[in-house]
Amino acid sequence: MIRAAATTGMFVALLSCGDRTRVAPSLPRSPFFTADSLRDEGRFLKAHPLYRQLRDSFALVHDTANLWPAQLWWAYTLVRTNRTDSAGVALNTAMQLAGNDPGRQGWTRWVRCARFSRTGQADSAIAECRSALQLAATSGNHELEGRIHHQLGTVHSRLGHYRIAVDEAERTLAIQQRHQHSPQLLIGTFNSLGIEYAAVGRLSEAEGMYQAGLQMADSLNSVWNRAILKSNLAYLRQSTGKLPDALRLMTESLHEAAQLPDTQSMVYAHNSLAEFYLSAGNRSQARDHLQQSNSMNRRVSAIFRVIAMLDLGLLETADSNLHLAEPALKTAMALADTAGFGLQRAVSRGALSRLAVKRGNATAALRWADAAVAIADSLDAPDAQIDALEARAAALEAARRSDASDSYLKGIDLLESWRGRLALGDLRMGVAEPRWSIYEGAIRTLLGRGRQAEALMVAERARARLLLEVMADRDASRPAASPLEGIRQRLRVRFEERAAVSGPEEQASLDRELQQLTDSLTRLEAMETGRYPAPAAIKALQADLLAPGRALLHFFWGDRDVYGWWVTRDTIHASRLGSTDSLAALVEFLRGSIERPGRDSGWQVPALGAFGRLITPLEPGPASEILVVADGPLSHIPIEVLIPARGELPWGATTRFIHGPSATVLLTLLKAPKMPGWNRTMLALGTSSARATRTSGRLERGPDTPPPLTHAGPEARAIRNLFRAEGADLLVGNGATARKWLELDPSRYRYLHFAAHARVSDRRPEETYLVLNESILDLAAIRRLRLHADLVTLSACETALGRRVRGEGVIGLSHAFLAAGARATLVTLWRIADRPAADFMQSFYTELHAGVPPAQALLVVRRRWIMAGGAQGHPSRWAPFVLVGGGSE
């Protein structure tokens, strides 16, 4: 959800005040020690009475040296517990006690700045901080200087001045590191830098800051800082499509904030969870968290009240309580306008625009949207700009304006320019997922105007861009000594190494190197055009990919509707196929009927119905080979099983099929130069290993371990024997380990075959791997390979599955092998039985060895099994095997 990261995650630059008095063990403990410790831990409610007692006791004995700091920190805890009126009075007293001392005056003005920031008085806050900076320079107090820059960054962030906020946060970190300030202060600065980097689209750097802060907070057991950092990291994960991780972090944040208890952090966590559940469509859970937030948010900073009111307006809009949504959104807007909270000013107007669309008032919708765009443009925050552009596009669409699609496309352009600036790694992969509606809006409006080819190009723009980039970097036609390619490769390796190390010194060293590499990459990319691979133009796809007799079947699974295209060299047909809800039910029922073994014909009725819903509206013509770009739940069923008409054979018995993450990927694989480096033809591996629980890089038997594969070894042996004369190697039994497979140098082989168990996770790609003997081959290890194989076959269960990421496809074993350089993979969509799988594979390789291309070999074997009837003719036996990538030649 765009609004989540844009409204809350950017604005929790809470200060970590590490001014604790340090004394030698032989000296008496400072009277401030306990109060300062509680303050550093975020326990402001408990620190507050202790500072008040200190202030009163020092006043009784006329201890003026200690009276001022006691008064100052008492006032500070009033600010942090949102008793801002009382804090104002207390700060006036602190300023009197400061006298003419520039250092004391500077500290007092810094707390005043924090108070004004909390009450939304940005101009007064900036004026106080600037005065405090002059006093800090006069007194030479570097800790105060760092705190003031930190606070200035927070103020500018809330105003939406993100570039200035980034500069202030980076200046803070430089001061603190140069003068070795306390870890508590560094944690707060890491958090602030994460917020500001995320605001300007530097998501990978934001992730690094949050992780560095969390590591330091863990070492100090700082519950308060952990709660804040986890909430902000959760927003980052949500904005890049990692929803399970986001929910886990938000829940942990709430639990840790409740331990303190810290009202503001709890309100923040409840607001975060409300937005998460709202974006996931669970409105009852969202309402529950908002109610808990509103029950305590009178005692928190104004920004959180604005956020809660915005969330309430969005929730009421989603629940169609439009009469309740409008006052909530207008209240949030008024509060944001008064306080100068830039991002919320834009978001509230965008939300009011969408509300007007729901009410059918296109004129009001466009007025609100134009205002949102103007404010967002002044902020230079990509997420806010994309959100506002989408709101304007929806308003234009409601007004039936022909330029609605242009506004959607402008938002997509901005999204992609932002994505192109992200450092390499998983962050790029999911950045389109929470913003899928903008692609769907462009497709919907383009099709509405009959612009079918342009709508297809939007669908292509949304697909497999990270994979395309990796493939481009591996293209043998590029200069091997390209500095850009070298830096990208080093970044990938260092990212993987960073995830594997746990020692603080190793992590710090790698973090420094990652930052240097990222800076170098940014500089070089700025001088290079076309750095972010674009999808192929429709004319190129038709001319170079769609030979006579070949058609492209392309799907887009949106938030509301599903769209499809049937494309040949000379024609394009497109259609809205139905709502996502109805088609999801159809796909689920079909999958259930085809993956269960049996002799009945119950699967044929849903297969016939699915053809009528998914294919017939696209007006398909005759084709001997079909390239399929599936999407959403369609990625989990084989199109081959569909039946064109009553009494006919399944489509897969008459037609070749090749699947791909995108049409552009398929074209790239088709045009990739053949590698002359093969000196062996086949490397076949077969293992009966059934170990499936990962422990320290090895595998141990668990209670749900599947039985050993008795036919995997014979399957691999039979396939090796077919290719023995051409040069084939075999790993079976105890020799079928990852280490021995790698030692054979898989880049030398034309064909790589695995007959083994596999573990596939639809949530965590790192938990997807092939199970070899006493070892595994996981996605990270596969991506590091430099393969030249024409085909990699994964004869194991569910190897076509994995984490489904909007904007990239299924992230699993097939994706990893294509990224490693393979031209095609043969994978499975569901669990396969040991003996039938071995029989199918031996038949397939017999055809392949005879010179039949992979897609045609699959067709031959499929048809043979279908015609055999009985158990062998049921789709559970022949339909799970799909070819992904090249393979028709």
Side-chain angles (χ1 to χ4, degrees):
M1 180 178 180
I2 294 175
R3 206 192 70 77
T7 58
T8 307
M10 308 301 181
F11 298 115
V12 189
L14 303 179
L15 292 171
S16 300
C17 303
D19 188 41
R20 186 181 309 174
T21 302
R22 296 175 178 80
V23 294
S26 59
L27 298 176
R29 178 181 287 183
S30 163
F32 288 91
F33 182 84
T34 302
D36 286 352
S37 297
L38 290 169
R39 187 195 71 216
D40 286 352
E41 294 167 6
R43 302 177 187 270
F44 302 111
L45 283 171
K46 291 187 176 182
H48 171 73
L50 295 182
Y51 282 123
R52 184 177 57 199
Q53 291 170 15
L54 287 167
R55 180 203 64 175
D56 293 345
S57 64
F58 293 139
L60 281 173
V61 298
H62 304 289
D63 184 350
T64 54
N66 283 313
L67 181 56
W68 169 79
Q71 180 73 21
L72 178 75
W73 293 115
W74 177 62
Y76 181 77
T77 58
L78 285 168
V79 172
R80 296 314 305 267
T81 54
N82 290 286
R83 287 172 276 190
T84 51
D85 290 341
S86 299
V89 175
L91 283 167
N92 288 338
T93 303
M95 186 60 78
Q96 293 172 4
L97 292 169
N100 295 321
D101 187 305
R104 290 186 172 190
Q105 288 183 4
W107 280 101
T108 308
R109 288 189 180 277
W110 165 70
V111 179
R112 277 184 172 176
C113 177
R115 175 180 172 272
F116 284 130
S117 176
R118 289 210 156 219
T119 56
Q121 300 175 72
D123 290 342
S124 298
I126 292 171
E128 286 287 356
C129 271
R130 286 176 176 167
S131 297
L133 266 180
Q134 294 175 354
L135 293 163
T138 300
S139 62
N141 193 315
H142 298 298
E143 180 176 345
L144 175 59
E145 182 186 4
R147 287 179 183 268
I148 296 167
H149 284 298
H150 186 284
Q151 186 61 48
L152 276 169
T154 301
V155 176
H156 283 292
S157 181
R158 291 179 177 175
L159 290 170
H161 303 156
Y162 299 119
R163 303 294 176 184
I164 298 174
V166 167
D167 290 342
E168 293 290 356
E170 289 180 338
R171 190 174 292 118
T172 302
L173 184 62
I175 292 169
Q176 291 173 344
Q177 290 179 331
R178 183 166 63 248
H179 298 285
Q180 299 182 340
H181 289 172
S182 73
Q184 290 282 3
L185 287 173
L186 282 170
I187 294 171
T189 304
F190 285 138
N191 180 61
S192 290
L193 269 171
I195 292 166
E196 312 315 339
Y197 283 152
V200 296
R202 295 163 64 178
L203 302 191
S204 54
E205 292 167 273
E207 168 114 357
M209 291 296 106
Y210 291 143
Q211 294 288 11
L214 273 173
Q215 181 182 334
M216 195 170 286
D218 284 339
S219 68
L220 298 174
N221 194 27
S222 177
V223 177
W224 175 53
N225 279 306
R226 278 205 306 263
I228 297 163
L229 286 157
K230 284 182 178 179
S231 279
N232 287 333
L233 183 56
Y235 266 109
L236 186 63
R237 296 283 168 81
Q238 185 177 0
S239 71
T240 53
K242 297 182 177 180
L243 300 186
D245 278 351
L247 180 58
R248 174 183 58 81
L249 287 163
M250 288 174 185
T251 305
E252 289 176 5
S253 173
L254 178 59
H255 175 72
E256 295 193 282
Q259 290 181 49
L260 293 173
D262 177 39
T263 302
Q264 183 143 298
S265 295
M266 290 170 68
V267 166
Y268 179 32
H270 280 302
N271 286 346
S272 303
L273 285 160
E275 291 184 357
F276 176 88
Y277 283 115
L278 184 58
S279 68
N282 189 336
R283 295 195 288 273
S284 62
Q285 283 272 31
R287 191 174 293 278
D288 179 62
H289 283 288
L290 272 183
Q291 287 172 346
Q292 294 186 66
S293 169
N294 286 326
S295 70
M296 60 180 78
N297 74 5
R298 292 181 182 177
R299 293 178 291 165
V300 301
S301 179
I303 186 68
F304 298 102
R305 294 196 294 276
V306 175
I307 290 164
M309 197 59 66
L310 267 174
D311 289 342
L312 181 60
L314 292 172
L315 176 60
E316 300 297 6
T317 302
D319 269 343
S320 296
N321 299 324
L322 306 188
H323 64 292
L324 298 175
E326 184 172 13
L329 291 173
K330 285 189 172 179
T331 299
M333 180 180 67
L335 289 170
D337 287 349
T338 300
F341 297 149
L343 192 55
Q344 283 67 35
R345 295 181 63 223
V347 171
S348 59
R349 285 163 172 81
L352 282 164
S353 176
R354 292 181 174 91
L355 178 62
V357 168
K358 278 205 163 192
R359 285 181 158 170
N361 189 341
T363 302
L366 190 55
R367 185 175 67 252
W368 286 120
D370 284 341
V373 169
I375 295 170
D377 284 346
S378 72
L379 304 179
D380 197 24
D383 220 2
Q385 290 174 289
I386 293 165
D387 183 58
L389 284 169
E390 185 178 2
R392 188 173 192 277
L396 291 169
E397 185 180 0
R400 301 183 184 279
R401 290 263 299 267
S402 60
D403 53 346
S405 54
D406 296 334
S407 190
Y408 281 120
L409 291 170
K410 186 176 180 181
I412 293 171
D413 289 341
L414 180 58
L415 173 61
E416 293 187 353
S417 70
W418 172 23
R419 182 191 183 280
R421 293 198 299 268
L422 303 184
L424 301 181
D426 284 348
L427 289 177
R428 272 192 188 181
M429 194 162 53
V431 76
E433 184 163 355
R435 304 161 183 86
W436 207 241
S437 57
I438 199 167
Y439 288 96
E440 183 175 2
I443 290 169
R444 182 176 59 247
T445 52
L446 287 167
L447 287 181
R449 298 176 60 195
R451 295 159 63 179
Q452 298 176 333
E454 291 173 75
L456 176 60
M457 288 298 93
V458 172
E460 274 289 289
R461 290 176 72 173
R463 309 269 314 168
R465 303 297 289 278
L466 180 63
L467 180 57
L468 268 178
E469 184 174 297
V470 173
M471 292 168 66
D473 284 348
R474 291 183 180 274
D475 189 341
S477 65
R478 295 185 62 165
S482 163
L484 200 60
E485 182 181 356
I487 291 174
R488 284 174 175 156
Q489 182 60 26
R490 286 168 63 194
L491 265 173
R492 291 191 187 94
V493 173
R494 295 298 183 266
F495 269 121
E496 290 164 358
E497 290 177 357
R498 177 62 173 80
V501 301
S502 56
E505 292 184 3
E506 292 176 287
Q507 289 178 337
S509 175
L510 283 170
D511 285 341
R512 287 192 295 271
E513 185 174 359
L514 281 168
Q515 184 61 57
Q516 292 169 358
L517 288 170
T518 301
D519 290 344
S520 299
L521 182 68
T522 300
R523 287 193 298 271
L524 285 172
E525 285 185 331
M527 296 183 288
E528 182 185 90
T529 58
R531 59 186 174 149
Y532 178 41
I538 185 65
K539 289 184 178 179
L541 291 176
Q542 289 181 300
D544 300 335
L545 181 64
L546 300 179
R550 180 186 284 171
L552 170 66
L553 178 60
H554 201 299
F555 295 101
F556 180 90
W557 194 284
D559 290 327
R560 292 164 41 183
D561 296 305
V562 181
Y563 300 87
W565 292 261
W566 179 271
V567 187
T568 66
R569 173 162 284 198
D570 304 311
T571 63
I572 301 177
H573 297 290
S575 177
R576 172 189 173 274
L577 302 175
S579 72
T580 55
D581 289 343
S582 65
L583 289 179
L586 178 145
V587 169
E588 183 179 359
F589 184 76
L590 176 61
R591 182 179 170 90
S593 68
I594 61 177
E595 68 176 334
R596 292 191 301 267
R599 297 174 183 271
D600 62 275
S601 60
W603 64 273
Q604 295 173 348
V605 173
L608 182 65
F611 191 98
R613 293 284 301 278
L614 296 171
I615 309 300
T616 300
L618 303 177
E619 305 176 42
S624 57
E625 182 170 273
I626 299 174
L627 309 179
V628 181
V629 177
D631 195 18
L634 290 171
S635 303
H636 288 179
I637 62 167
I639 297 297
E640 292 88 329
V641 81
L642 302 187
I643 299 176
R646 193 176 301 278
E648 292 190 9
L649 292 172
W651 221 359
T654 60
T655 307
R656 297 188 300 272
F657 283 87
I658 298 173
H659 299 253
S662 74
T664 306
V665 166
L666 289 172
L667 178 60
T668 303
L669 291 168
L670 178 70
K671 295 174 69 176
K674 289 276 187 179
M675 293 301 298
W678 300 321
N679 55 33
R680 308 290 287 172
T681 299
M682 168 62 69
L683 174 54
L685 181 148
T687 174
S688 64
S689 173
R691 299 168 184 253
T693 303
R694 191 174 193 164
T695 305
S696 301
R698 296 179 64 82
L699 300 164
E700 296 181 353
R701 185 176 296 275
D704 59 346
T705 301
L709 300 173
T710 58
H711 294 279
E715 173 186 329
R717 194 171 283 109
I719 291 167
R720 188 278 306 265
N721 290 340
L722 280 170
F723 293 91
R724 187 188 291 270
E726 293 89 346
D729 293 306
L730 175 69
L731 293 174
V732 293
N734 293 336
T737 66
R739 181 178 60 81
K740 290 188 177 180
W741 186 82
L742 291 169
E743 285 176 351
L744 286 173
D745 185 7
S747 67
R748 300 185 299 144
Y749 296 86
R750 183 177 185 182
Y751 302 123
L752 298 170
H753 181 86
F754 294 88
H757 277 299
R759 176 172 178 174
V760 176
S761 172
D762 60 0
R763 292 191 172 189
R764 297 180 178 277
E766 64 270 19
E767 294 178 5
T768 292
Y769 45 79
L770 290 168
V771 182
L772 308 186
N773 186 54
E774 298 293 332
S775 58
I776 63 169
L777 194 62
D778 61 15
L779 301 188
I782 294 167
R783 291 188 189 114
R784 287 194 292 267
L785 300 172
R786 303 287 291 189
L787 299 180
H788 306 128
D790 264 357
L791 179 67
V792 177
T793 300
L794 306 179
S795 179
C797 293
E798 301 179 328
T799 52
L801 306 185
R803 180 183 167 215
R804 202 166 63 220
V805 177
R806 280 177 159 180
E808 195 60 32
V810 176
I811 307 303
L813 292 161
S814 179
H815 189 281
F817 275 108
L818 291 177
R823 295 171 66 90
T825 62
L826 180 57
V827 287
T828 61
L829 283 163
W830 54 75
R831 291 182 177 275
I832 53 176
D834 187 16
R835 177 58 183 270
D839 292 343
F840 191 97
M841 285 298 164
Q842 289 178 47
S843 297
F844 168 77
Y845 275 106
T846 299
E847 299 294 328
L848 195 69
H849 182 258
V852 178
Q856 180 66 24
L858 271 181
L859 170 60
V860 170
V861 179
R862 271 199 308 263
R863 183 178 178 87
R864 187 183 302 152
W865 282 46
I866 291 169
M867 299 304 293
Q872 195 174 30
H874 192 274
S876 61
R877 295 292 176 85
W878 57 264
F881 304 99
V882 293
L883 183 66
V884 179
S888 64
E889 298 177 355

